[in-house]
Amino acid sequence: MAARLIDGKALAQTIRERIAKESADLHAQTGIRPGLAAILVGDDPASALYVRSKQKACDAAGIYVADHKLPASTTQADLLALIEKMNADPKIHGILVQLPLPKQIDSKVVLDAVSPAKDADGFHPYNVGRLVEGNPLFTPCTPKGIIKMIESTGVAIEGKRAVVVGRSNIVGKPASLLLLHRHATVTVCHSKTKDLPAVCREAEILVVAIGKAKFVTADMVREGAMVIDVGSNRLEDGTFVGDVDFGPVSQKAGWISPVPGGVGPMTIAMLLDNTLESAKRTAGAG
Ligand code: NDP
């Protein structure tokens, strides 16, 4: 493999150890233990798995978790009532509502009901606005993790040609803003982009978040580019792969993040980081 690996799993572990220490220090100095409300509605196995791994990571980092598992039949009014309770609970500094929500619930209404001051995922319009301004309060976890991964390589973002493939509100758009604020020249691509391979080949930093297994092939990648693969796709044989065709692309890229062990663990570490930062703000120490 020609490319150097961006080991998200190892980086996330280092960050989680730092969070555990800072969490313990905050508790010792102020009596405040960072707290996360984890709300899961329904019994989608993938969502349950995500929430469990987030809870495990919180436990290991000394972050208190208020675990709320609600039945698939939960009404929007009941979920909003729970969120109101968590908004008012002084033990809680971050609220995570695991998506997707069941059909009878409007996700937008629910995410907008989370207090912007406890919006650990950074999805509330107030936090989106702050992010656009370049003055974020909570930065969405996956894009924040992507930036930390890029920074961990020591390669400067400033002045680079960055291409982000995917324009979702949770990954593509915020990732492109974070790169822009770090002075990259950013192009955002989507399903209507013409000649996507040619645009991707311009990228010195290529971030791919589309949800299509092995979609980005070696001919779409510039020699020596840094490739961050956000995709998380389960194949029929049960294995997880990214949106990038890792084998051939790793022969051409300068840096590449793997799947699994790349962006996924960093997303969880950033959720803990956002919760800790929020607790520090409450304590007046952030
Ligand atoms: P969405 O489905 O919300 O968005 C996908 C984006 O990709 C859209 O903007 C879409 O374009 C674009 N797209 C789809 N097909 C193509 C194509 N052929 N060419 C160019 N663009 C295309 O996905 P998410 O952003 O939520 O997630 C993307 C991937 O990242 C998924 O695999 C998801 O599982 C993974 N993910 C991983 C996380 C982690 O922690 N590891 C966290 C979050 C997501 P258009 O807007 O035109 O429809």
Side-chain angles (χ1 to χ4, degrees):
M1 180 171 108
R4 294 170 71 179
L5 198 69
I6 309 176
D7 186 343
K9 192 172 171 197
L11 182 60
Q13 182 56 33
T14 308
I15 291 171
R16 282 161 52 170
E17 282 162 17
R18 191 258 302 156
I19 291 170
K21 185 181 175 311
E22 289 184 19
S23 216
D25 290 349
L26 182 70
H27 188 237
Q29 285 158 17
T30 66
I32 293 175
R33 188 181 293 286
L36 178 74
I39 303 175
L40 173 65
V41 188
D43 38 30
D44 174 53
S47 295
L49 185 69
Y50 290 140
V51 171
R52 260 201 314 281
S53 48
K54 289 167 183 173
Q55 284 169 336
K56 237 172 83 185
C58 282
D59 290 344
I63 293 175
Y64 159 73
V65 180
D67 179 16
H68 293 278
K69 288 198 181 61
L70 307 179
S73 58
T74 300
T75 63
Q76 182 165 306
D78 283 347
L79 181 55
L80 289 174
L82 174 63
I83 288 172
E84 270 317 301
K85 209 169 134 202
M86 294 298 108
N87 283 344
D89 186 338
K91 293 196 299 303
I92 297 301
H93 308 97
I95 299 173
L96 158 77
V97 183
Q98 185 64 45
L99 300 176
L101 291 168
K103 282 192 296 292
Q104 74 275 15
I105 297 176
D106 183 338
S107 303
K108 168 118 184 84
V109 172
V110 169
L111 295 180
D112 288 3
V114 172
S115 162
K118 297 190 178 186
D119 174 32
D121 270 329
F123 295 160
H124 190 283
Y126 172 84
N127 284 312
V128 175
R130 295 252 327 223
L131 181 68
V132 172
E133 272 186 354
N135 177 31
L137 182 68
F138 286 100
T139 302
C141 301
T142 302
K144 187 176 178 180
I146 292 169
I147 296 295
K148 295 252 188 246
M149 290 168 80
I150 298 172
E151 287 174 346
S152 76
T153 65
V155 173
I157 296 175
E158 183 172 328
K160 291 285 187 317
R161 289 298 305 260
V163 173
V164 179
V165 190
R167 58 174 166 182
S168 71
N169 289 332
I170 63 170
V171 188
K173 268 186 221 162
S176 65
L177 284 166
L178 293 175
L179 288 162
L180 181 65
H181 295 150
R182 284 159 183 76
H183 312 296
T185 302
V186 184
T187 303
V188 185
C189 301
H190 45 78
S191 65
K192 306 286 186 289
T193 297
K194 293 215 171 81
D195 200 357
L196 181 69
V199 182
C200 289
R201 277 193 296 272
E202 289 176 8
E204 295 169 287
I205 298 172
L206 180 62
V207 177
V208 189
I210 58 178
K212 292 201 156 76
K214 302 186 185 183
F215 181 88
V216 170
T217 47
D219 64 301
M220 297 168 75
V221 175
R222 176 178 175 149
E223 194 82 44
M226 182 182 297
V227 180
I228 306 288
D229 188 355
V230 185
S232 174
N233 311 288
R234 191 192 279 277
L235 299 181
E236 275 177 13
D237 65 4
T239 51
F240 269 107
V241 296
D243 290 344
V244 173
D245 192 8
F246 184 86
V249 171
S250 65
Q251 297 303 320
K252 197 165 180 196
W255 294 85
I256 190 165
S257 71
V259 177
V263 174
M266 286 298 290
T267 297
I268 296 180
M270 292 304 104
L271 177 70
L272 308 192
D273 198 43
N274 280 354
T275 306
L276 171 65
E277 283 177 6
S278 176
K280 285 184 180 175
R281 280 195 289 272
T282 305

